[in-house]
Amino acid sequence: MPKGTGKVIAQNKKATHDYFIEKTFEAGMVLQGTEIKSIRAGRVQLKDSFVLIRNGEAWIHNMHISPYEQGNRFNHDPLRVRKLLLHKKEIAELAGAVKRDGYTIVPLKIYIKDGYAKLLIGLGKGKKKYDKRADERKKEAKREMERALKLKNQ
């Protein structure tokens, strides 16, 4: 199964708006029992999350996983820092790009693949305001063409 396929639970749509995504990586996550239950229920948010590399390990910060409703005192902290599972070469590549070229590591989406929760992360470079406006113009032109074709075909 290729990267990014499976049952998509949550997407970070703002990431593609704010960054040029150059390369993507599929990462596993170290989760607690109530966290995976909440993820399967779709109660996760990636909006303000980011990935940092420390001591040769990748960690995701600010990913909000809501507490599980049936979880009792063993429930998890919603904003705890979670470890990402990547190969050493992938971590080295990400760390080098972030240090050297001014890239950032952005979480793109969470999905369930073969029973495991996976996180698709992207190596992205920030967009300037004029880049965002140009993308918006392209989207608007595409919408207008589709509308015109739809009216023509009726």
Side-chain angles (χ1 to χ4, degrees), residues 38-53:
S38 288
I39 287 175
R40 287 182 195 279
R43 299 177 50 83
V44 61
Q45 189 175 26
L46 291 172
K47 192 166 62 174
D48 295 327
S49 58
F50 58 96
V51 177
L52 290 179
I53 308 260

Side-chain angles (χ1 to χ4, degrees), residues 1-7 23-29 58 84-87 90-91 94 105-114 116-123:
M1 204 181 285
K3 284 190 286 188
T5 57
K7 183 183 175 209
K23 193 169 182 183
T24 60
F25 298 89
E26 182 180 71
M29 294 180 284
L84 297 179
L85 304 172
L86 291 161
H87 293 283
E90 292 174 336
I91 292 174
L94 287 168
I105 308 168
V106 187
L108 301 174
K109 63 180 168 180
I110 291 183
Y111 53 94
I112 303 289
K113 178 177 171 184
D114 299 331
Y116 294 101
K118 301 287 184 177
L119 180 70
L120 189 70
I121 57 176
L123 192 58

Side-chain angles (χ1 to χ4, degrees), residues 20 22 94 96-105 123-126:
F20 292 114
E22 309 263 327
L94 287 168
V98 168
K99 279 183 185 173
R100 190 178 52 248
D101 301 330
Y103 284 96
T104 187
I105 308 168
L123 192 58
K125 204 168 199 118

